[in-house]
Amino acid sequence: MSKKINEKIQSIIKQCESLSNDDIESLPNYKKFKVFYSKKSHKTCDIYLLCAFIFGLLAIFTTSISYIGIEHVLYYSYDRIFSINIYHEECLAPKLETLIDIFRPITSCDICQHIDHIERISNITREEFEEKYAYTNHPVIITDAMNDWLALENFNYEFFKRIYRTNSSALRGVEDNCQFFPYKNKDEFETLGDVFNMDFDRAHMIDDDYKPWYVGWSNCDYSTAYLLRQYYSRPYFLPERSESSKLDWIFMGTPGFGAHMHIDNVDLPSWQAQVRGRKQWTLRPAPECFHICKELTFIVEPGEIIILNTNVWYHKTSVVSEDEISITIGSEFD
Ligand SMILES: O=C(O)CCC(=O)C(=O)O
Ligand SMILES: [Fe+2]
């Protein structure tokens, strides 16, 4: 049996020798093959997890690691030591979230104790924004920062499907280098390409009993970021000297689904613009502040931008629009 398989593999390798890398990558079964062979043995997974745990313990006692953030330290060290991307390693990614949670620094309850609702504001100056919200961990919704964005009319499922079409450099860029979160759909969407291959009816919620879906991805491909930024601009209220991250995040999905409750470890606060649909957010203070801070639930409407430090507030989302998918775009700022 194994001799037969071996012969078959040898013959496939022989046939591949005459193809270019691009030809091989465009073969329909290439992705399955790559995913299958990238799955690691239990032993290797255990070693990865053990190292992550040791890094976590070190973070508690080493100021510099806890300052940089355990997630960044893991990302760079795993790349250097094992040549793996922690977000793409199936056996590591889900457990990593729990580890990051366990080893996160204690939050000061000053940031949440006086907040009992989310304010909606408009026409704010950069100076006022900087003083009251930018770096205070005080979440807020800004209602007038997307008025001239072309994204409001143009962003929809088909728009992104065209950008991330099969074999495009945009799709390859995201699949090879950026983060992809399939949330509850992880059994069916292995990559962003799978999202844009779903049935038309499901994507557009044509039948009443369509299967809900929700995904998020970071767009770390510069040329795609450049293209997308023709449709939106840097929010006017961000402090002049603040650098927007080169990474943009896109979250998209149908009513009923969203992101589970979690806390991030990305250092910086972020803005997230609700381009289409309505999304409910629940912000929960860190457990050490439960006795003094409130959980907040509110809806972000199309045309509104939420400012949130996702590193200090636990957060979860759920799309609540009646018959429209939700699309948001966001970024970190410093
Ligand atoms: O928009 C969402 O559904 C989740 C967003 C999120 O988790 C984040 O921005 O950190
Ligand atoms: Fe988050």
Side-chain angles (χ1 to χ4, degrees):
M1 178 74 173
S2 70
K3 194 169 162 234
K4 248 186 170 167
I5 294 174
N6 207 14
E7 278 167 8
K8 270 202 170 141
I9 292 179
Q10 290 303 333
S11 107
I12 293 172
I13 292 174
K14 248 215 159 92
Q15 289 170 49
C16 286
E17 275 169 3
S18 60
L19 300 175
S20 69
N21 278 354
D22 278 354
D23 291 338
I24 294 173
E25 285 183 16
S26 64
L27 293 173
N29 281 324
Y30 168 77
K31 215 166 64 191
K32 279 190 198 150
F33 190 76
K34 197 171 138 195
V35 169
F36 180 77
Y37 279 98
S38 71
K39 285 187 179 154
K40 299 286 188 301
S41 70
H42 279 302
K43 203 168 149 213
T44 319
C45 284
D46 289 347
I47 294 173
Y48 290 166
L49 283 171
L50 182 69
C51 291
F53 191 74
I54 293 171
F55 277 122
L57 284 180
L58 277 175
I60 295 180
F61 301 108
T62 319
T63 326
S64 56
I65 297 187
S66 55
Y67 178 75
I68 299 167
I70 175 77
E71 190 167 345
H72 293 287
V73 173
L74 288 176
Y75 183 82
Y76 288 109
S77 28
Y78 277 67
D79 185 36
R80 283 282 156 88
I81 304 169
F82 302 115
S83 301
I84 61 161
N85 179 327
I86 54 172
Y87 303 114
H88 290 186
E89 213 40 72
E90 262 190 61
C91 64
L92 196 57
K95 293 174 186 120
L96 208 61
E97 201 168 288
T98 318
L99 278 174
I100 288 168
D101 215 1
I102 295 173
F103 294 116
R104 101 190 134 71
I106 299 282
T107 311
S108 154
C109 304
D110 292 350
I111 64 158
C112 55
Q113 64 175 320
H114 300 300
I115 303 182
D116 58 5
H117 73 288
I118 300 294
E119 287 169 84
R120 284 189 148 75
I121 55 170
S122 57
N123 201 13
I124 184 164
T125 61
R126 284 189 166 134
E127 292 70 29
E128 196 185 347
F129 177 75
E130 177 162 3
E131 187 194 318
K132 291 195 181 154
Y133 305 105
Y135 310 113
T136 56
N137 301 318
H138 189 142
V140 67
I141 292 175
I142 315 251
T143 59
D144 64 346
M146 297 166 64
N147 297 341
D148 54 353
W149 284 18
L150 296 173
L152 292 172
E153 289 130 52
N154 291 279
F155 279 10
N156 55 36
Y157 176 86
E158 294 300 325
F159 173 92
F160 287 107
K161 184 177 163 115
R162 271 196 301 279
I163 291 192
Y164 295 106
R165 61 193 171 279
T166 313
N167 292 332
S168 61
S169 64
L171 183 61
R172 208 170 311 149
V174 172
E175 291 190 334
D176 290 349
N177 305 311
C178 314
Q179 290 183 67
F180 170 64
F181 293 136
Y183 296 108
K184 285 188 193 151
N185 306 97
K186 67 176 181 313
D187 292 336
E188 47 177 339
F189 299 152
E190 245 157 35
T191 68
L192 186 61
D194 297 333
V195 175
F196 294 114
N197 273 332
M198 82 174 103
D199 276 352
F200 181 91
D201 285 8
R202 183 178 178 202
H204 294 274
M205 306 183 296
I206 305 268
D207 295 329
D208 281 347
D209 59 349
Y210 73 91
K211 226 170 131 198
W213 54 273
Y214 191 78
V215 297
W217 70 94
S218 67
N219 184 35
C220 61
D221 178 66
Y222 288 139
S223 47
T224 316
Y226 179 77
L227 190 156
L228 291 179
R229 285 175 186 186
Q230 313 294 313
Y231 292 84
Y232 58 92
S233 39
R234 185 183 137 87
Y236 74 86
F237 50 81
L238 291 184
E240 205 142 9
R241 62 189 162 74
S242 118
E243 284 255 343
S244 273
S245 152
K246 303 257 179 314
L247 263 187
D248 290 335
W249 280 90
I250 301 161
F251 293 91
M252 185 162 85
T254 61
F257 268 21
H260 57 281
M261 184 63 83
H262 68 282
I263 192 161
D264 296 317
N265 195 328
V266 288
D267 291 341
L268 301 172
S270 45
W271 57 267
Q272 192 193 91
Q274 190 71 38
V275 174
R276 194 170 279 280
R278 309 169 72 226
K279 197 156 69 178
Q280 176 171 290
W281 286 75
T282 303
L283 306 187
R284 185 174 290 166
E288 55 272 27
C289 304
F290 278 175
H291 62 293
I292 156 167
C293 298
K294 284 205 177 78
E295 181 170 300
L296 309 162
T297 298
F298 54 92
I299 292 173
V300 182
E301 306 284 348
E304 295 185 331
I305 296 186
I306 172 172
I307 307 295
L308 178 68
N309 189 341
T310 59
N311 308 295
V312 299
W313 288 91
Y314 281 78
H315 50 289
K316 89 172 178 196
T317 60
S318 175
V319 178
V320 292
S321 24
E322 270 188 9
D323 49 8
E324 194 175 27
I325 65 169
S326 162
I327 298 182
T328 60
I329 187 121
S331 195
E332 290 163 39
F333 63 91
D334 69 6

